[in-house]
CSV table of all heavy atoms in Angstrom, one decimal:
chain,number,residue,atom,x,y,z
A,1,LEU,N,0.8,-1.2,0.0
A,1,LEU,CA,0.0,0.0,0.0
A,1,LEU,C,0.9,1.3,0.0
A,1,LEU,O,0.6,2.2,-0.7
A,1,LEU,CB,-1.0,0.0,1.2
A,1,LEU,CG,-2.1,-0.9,1.2
A,1,LEU,CD1,-2.8,-1.1,2.5
A,1,LEU,CD2,-3.1,-0.6,0.1
A,2,GLY,N,1.9,1.2,0.8
A,2,GLY,CA,2.9,2.5,0.8
A,2,GLY,C,3.5,2.6,-0.5
A,2,GLY,O,3.5,3.7,-0.8
A,3,ALA,N,3.9,1.5,-1.1
A,3,ALA,CA,4.6,1.7,-2.4
A,3,ALA,C,3.6,2.2,-3.5
A,3,ALA,O,3.9,3.1,-4.4
A,3,ALA,CB,5.2,0.4,-2.9
A,4,ALA,N,2.2,1.7,-3.3
A,4,ALA,CA,1.2,2.1,-4.2
A,4,ALA,C,1.0,3.7,-4.1
A,4,ALA,O,0.8,4.4,-5.1
A,4,ALA,CB,0.1,1.4,-4.0
A,5,VAL,N,0.9,4.1,-2.8
A,5,VAL,CA,0.7,5.6,-2.7
A,5,VAL,C,1.8,6.4,-3.1
A,5,VAL,O,1.6,7.4,-3.9
A,5,VAL,CB,0.4,5.8,-1.1
A,5,VAL,CG1,0.3,7.3,-0.9
A,5,VAL,CG2,-0.8,5.2,-0.6
A,6,LEU,N,3.0,6.0,-2.9
A,6,LEU,CA,4.2,6.7,-3.4
A,6,LEU,C,4.2,6.7,-5.0
A,6,LEU,O,4.4,7.8,-5.6
A,6,LEU,CB,5.6,6.0,-2.9
A,6,LEU,CG,6.0,6.3,-1.6
A,6,LEU,CD1,7.0,5.4,-1.2
A,6,LEU,CD2,6.3,7.7,-1.4
A,7,GLY,N,3.7,5.6,-5.6
A,7,GLY,CA,3.7,5.5,-7.1
A,7,GLY,C,2.7,6.5,-7.6
A,7,GLY,O,2.7,6.9,-8.8
A,8,MET,N,1.5,6.7,-6.8
A,8,MET,CA,0.5,7.6,-7.3
A,8,MET,C,0.8,9.1,-7.3
A,8,MET,O,0.2,9.9,-7.8
A,8,MET,CB,-0.9,7.4,-6.5
A,8,MET,CG,-1.4,5.9,-6.7
A,8,MET,SD,-2.7,5.5,-5.5
A,8,MET,CE,-3.8,6.9,-5.7
A,9,ILE,N,1.7,9.5,-6.4
A,9,ILE,CA,2.0,11.0,-6.1
A,9,ILE,C,2.3,11.7,-7.3
A,9,ILE,O,1.6,12.7,-7.6
A,9,ILE,CB,3.2,11.0,-5.1
A,9,ILE,CG1,2.6,10.7,-3.7
A,9,ILE,CG2,3.7,12.4,-5.0
A,9,ILE,CD1,3.6,10.5,-2.6
A,10,PRO,N,3.3,11.2,-8.2
A,10,PRO,CA,3.5,12.1,-9.4
A,10,PRO,C,2.2,12.2,-10.3
A,10,PRO,O,1.9,13.2,-10.8
A,10,PRO,CB,4.6,11.3,-10.1
A,10,PRO,CG,5.3,10.6,-9.1
A,10,PRO,CD,4.1,10.2,-8.1
A,11,ARG,N,1.4,11.1,-10.5
A,11,ARG,CA,0.3,11.1,-11.2
A,11,ARG,C,-0.9,12.1,-10.7
A,11,ARG,O,-1.7,12.6,-11.4
A,11,ARG,CB,-0.3,9.7,-11.5
A,11,ARG,CG,0.7,8.9,-12.3
A,11,ARG,CD,-0.1,7.6,-12.8
A,11,ARG,NE,-0.5,6.8,-11.7
A,11,ARG,CZ,0.4,5.9,-11.1
A,11,ARG,NH1,1.6,5.6,-11.6
A,11,ARG,NH2,-0.2,5.1,-10.2
A,12,ALA,N,-0.8,12.2,-9.4
A,12,ALA,CA,-1.8,13.2,-8.7
A,12,ALA,C,-1.4,14.7,-8.8
A,12,ALA,O,-2.1,15.5,-8.5
A,12,ALA,CB,-1.8,12.8,-7.3
A,13,GLY,N,-0.2,14.9,-9.5
A,13,GLY,CA,0.2,16.3,-9.7
A,13,GLY,C,1.1,16.9,-8.7
A,13,GLY,O,1.4,18.0,-8.8
A,14,PHE,N,1.6,16.1,-7.8
A,14,PHE,CA,2.5,16.6,-6.8
A,14,PHE,C,3.8,16.5,-7.3
A,14,PHE,O,4.4,15.6,-8.0
A,14,PHE,CB,2.5,15.7,-5.5
A,14,PHE,CG,1.1,15.9,-4.8
A,14,PHE,CD1,0.5,14.7,-4.5
A,14,PHE,CD2,0.5,17.0,-4.5
A,14,PHE,CE1,-0.7,14.8,-3.7
A,14,PHE,CE2,-0.8,17.2,-4.0
A,14,PHE,CZ,-1.3,16.0,-3.6
A,15,ALA,N,4.7,17.6,-7.0
A,15,ALA,CA,6.1,17.6,-7.5
A,15,ALA,C,6.9,16.5,-6.6
A,15,ALA,O,6.6,16.3,-5.5
A,15,ALA,CB,6.7,18.9,-7.2
A,16,ALA,N,8.0,16.0,-7.3
A,16,ALA,CA,8.7,14.9,-6.5
A,16,ALA,C,9.5,15.8,-5.5
A,16,ALA,O,9.8,16.9,-5.7
A,16,ALA,CB,9.6,14.1,-7.4
A,17,ALA,N,10.0,15.0,-4.4
A,17,ALA,CA,10.9,15.6,-3.4
A,17,ALA,C,12.2,15.9,-4.2
A,17,ALA,O,12.7,15.3,-5.1
A,17,ALA,CB,11.1,14.6,-2.3
A,18,PRO,N,12.8,17.1,-3.7
A,18,PRO,CA,14.0,17.5,-4.4
A,18,PRO,C,15.0,16.4,-4.2
A,18,PRO,O,15.2,15.7,-3.2
A,18,PRO,CB,14.4,18.8,-3.6
A,18,PRO,CG,13.1,19.2,-3.0
A,18,PRO,CD,12.3,18.0,-2.7
A,19,THR,N,16.0,16.3,-5.2
A,19,THR,CA,17.0,15.3,-5.1
A,19,THR,C,18.3,15.9,-4.3
A,19,THR,O,18.3,17.1,-4.2
A,19,THR,CB,17.4,14.9,-6.5
A,19,THR,OG1,17.9,16.0,-7.3
A,19,THR,CG2,16.3,14.2,-7.2
A,20,GLY,N,19.1,15.1,-3.9
A,20,GLY,CA,20.2,15.5,-3.2
A,20,GLY,C,20.4,14.8,-1.9
A,20,GLY,O,19.6,14.1,-1.5
A,21,PRO,N,21.5,15.1,-1.2
A,21,PRO,CA,21.7,14.4,0.1
A,21,PRO,C,20.6,14.7,1.1
A,21,PRO,O,20.3,15.9,1.3
A,21,PRO,CB,23.1,15.0,0.6
A,21,PRO,CG,23.7,15.5,-0.6
A,21,PRO,CD,22.7,15.9,-1.5
A,22,GLN,N,20.1,13.8,1.7
A,22,GLN,CA,19.0,13.7,2.7
A,22,GLN,C,19.6,13.8,4.1
A,22,GLN,O,20.3,12.9,4.4
A,22,GLN,CB,17.8,12.7,2.5
A,22,GLN,CG,16.6,13.0,3.5
A,22,GLN,CD,15.7,12.0,3.2
A,22,GLN,OE1,15.9,11.0,2.5
A,22,GLN,NE2,14.4,12.2,3.7
A,23,MET,N,19.2,14.6,4.8
A,23,MET,CA,19.6,14.7,6.3
A,23,MET,C,19.0,13.4,6.9
A,23,MET,O,18.0,12.9,6.7
A,23,MET,CB,19.0,15.9,7.0
A,23,MET,CG,19.5,16.2,8.3
A,23,MET,SD,18.8,17.7,9.0
A,23,MET,CE,19.3,18.8,7.8
A,24,THR,N,19.8,12.8,7.9
A,24,THR,CA,19.3,11.6,8.6
A,24,THR,C,18.4,12.1,9.6
A,24,THR,O,18.3,13.2,10.0
A,24,THR,CB,20.6,11.0,9.3
A,24,THR,OG1,21.0,11.9,10.3
A,24,THR,CG2,21.7,10.6,8.3
A,25,PRO,N,17.5,11.2,10.1
A,25,PRO,CA,16.5,11.6,11.1
A,25,PRO,C,17.2,12.1,12.4
A,25,PRO,O,16.7,13.0,12.9
A,25,PRO,CB,15.8,10.2,11.4
A,25,PRO,CG,15.8,9.5,10.0
A,25,PRO,CD,17.2,9.8,9.5
A,26,ALA,N,18.2,11.5,12.8
A,26,ALA,CA,18.9,11.9,14.1
A,26,ALA,C,19.4,13.4,13.8
A,26,ALA,O,19.4,14.2,14.7
A,26,ALA,CB,20.0,11.0,14.4
A,27,ASP,N,20.1,13.7,12.6
A,27,ASP,CA,20.5,14.9,12.4
A,27,ASP,C,19.4,16.0,12.3
A,27,ASP,O,19.7,17.1,12.8
A,27,ASP,CB,21.4,15.0,11.1
A,27,ASP,CG,22.7,14.3,11.2
A,27,ASP,OD1,23.2,14.1,12.3
A,27,ASP,OD2,23.3,14.0,10.2
A,28,ALA,N,18.4,15.5,11.8
A,28,ALA,CA,17.2,16.6,11.6
A,28,ALA,C,16.7,16.9,13.1
A,28,ALA,O,16.4,18.0,13.4
A,28,ALA,CB,16.1,15.9,11.0
A,29,VAL,N,16.5,15.9,13.9
A,29,VAL,CA,16.1,16.2,15.3
A,29,VAL,C,17.1,17.1,16.0
A,29,VAL,O,16.7,18.0,16.8
A,29,VAL,CB,15.9,14.9,16.2
A,29,VAL,CG1,15.6,15.2,17.6
A,29,VAL,CG2,14.8,14.0,15.5
A,30,GLN,N,18.4,16.8,15.9
A,30,GLN,CA,19.4,17.6,16.6
A,30,GLN,C,19.4,19.1,16.0
A,30,GLN,O,19.5,20.0,16.7
A,30,GLN,CB,20.8,17.0,16.2
A,30,GLN,CG,21.9,17.7,17.1
A,30,GLN,CD,21.8,17.6,18.6
A,30,GLN,OE1,21.6,16.5,19.1
A,30,GLN,NE2,21.8,18.8,19.2
A,31,ARG,N,19.1,19.2,14.8
A,31,ARG,CA,19.0,20.6,14.2
A,31,ARG,C,17.9,21.3,14.8
A,31,ARG,O,18.0,22.5,15.1
A,31,ARG,CB,18.9,20.5,12.6
A,31,ARG,CG,19.0,21.8,12.0
A,31,ARG,CD,18.9,21.6,10.5
A,31,ARG,NE,18.8,22.9,9.8
A,31,ARG,CZ,18.8,23.0,8.5
A,31,ARG,NH1,19.0,21.9,7.7
A,31,ARG,NH2,18.7,24.2,7.9
A,32,MET,N,16.8,20.6,15.0
A,32,MET,CA,15.7,21.3,15.8
A,32,MET,C,16.0,21.8,17.1
A,32,MET,O,15.8,22.8,17.6
A,32,MET,CB,14.4,20.5,15.7
A,32,MET,CG,13.9,20.0,14.5
A,32,MET,SD,13.0,21.6,13.5
A,32,MET,CE,11.4,21.3,14.4
A,33,MET,N,16.7,20.8,17.9
A,33,MET,CA,17.0,21.0,19.2
A,33,MET,C,18.1,22.1,19.3
A,33,MET,O,18.0,22.9,20.3
A,33,MET,CB,17.5,19.8,20.0
A,33,MET,CG,16.4,18.7,19.9
A,33,MET,SD,14.8,19.2,20.5
A,33,MET,CE,15.2,19.4,22.3
A,34,ASP,N,18.9,22.2,18.4
A,34,ASP,CA,20.0,23.2,18.4
A,34,ASP,C,19.4,24.6,18.1
A,34,ASP,O,19.7,25.6,18.9
A,34,ASP,CB,21.0,23.0,17.3
A,34,ASP,CG,21.9,21.9,17.6
A,34,ASP,OD1,22.0,21.4,18.8
A,34,ASP,OD2,22.7,21.4,16.7
A,35,GLY,N,18.3,24.6,17.3
A,35,GLY,CA,17.7,25.9,17.1
A,35,GLY,C,16.9,26.3,18.2
A,35,GLY,O,16.8,27.4,18.6
A,36,ASN,N,16.3,25.4,19.0
A,36,ASN,CA,15.6,25.7,20.3
A,36,ASN,C,16.5,26.3,21.3
A,36,ASN,O,16.2,27.2,22.0
A,36,ASN,CB,14.9,24.5,20.9
A,36,ASN,CG,14.1,25.0,22.2
A,36,ASN,OD1,14.4,24.3,23.2
A,36,ASN,ND2,13.2,25.8,22.1
A,37,ALA,N,17.8,25.8,21.4
A,37,ALA,CA,18.8,26.3,22.3
A,37,ALA,C,19.1,27.7,22.0
A,37,ALA,O,19.3,28.5,22.8
A,37,ALA,CB,20.0,25.4,22.3
A,38,ARG,N,19.2,28.1,20.7
A,38,ARG,CA,19.4,29.5,20.4
A,38,ARG,C,18.3,30.3,20.7
A,38,ARG,O,18.4,31.5,21.2
A,38,ARG,CB,19.6,29.5,18.8
A,38,ARG,CG,20.9,28.8,18.4
A,38,ARG,CD,21.4,29.3,16.9
A,38,ARG,NE,20.3,28.9,15.9
A,38,ARG,CZ,20.2,27.6,15.3
A,38,ARG,NH1,21.1,26.7,15.7
A,38,ARG,NH2,19.3,27.4,14.5
A,39,PHE,N,17.0,29.8,20.5
A,39,PHE,CA,15.7,30.5,21.0
A,39,PHE,C,15.8,30.8,22.4
A,39,PHE,O,15.5,31.9,22.8
A,39,PHE,CB,14.6,29.7,20.6
A,39,PHE,CG,13.3,30.3,21.1
A,39,PHE,CD1,12.7,31.4,20.5
A,39,PHE,CD2,12.6,29.7,22.2
A,39,PHE,CE1,11.5,31.9,20.9
A,39,PHE,CE2,11.4,30.3,22.6
A,39,PHE,CZ,10.9,31.3,21.9
């Protein structure tokens, strides 16, 4: 089902996710927490 939904996205008119290096989940969480520390 997940694969089917992903396959339907371009046909539904949504732009594909930008290509390039993707941040890891751990790095994304750390980036959020670093931003909160600055706040």
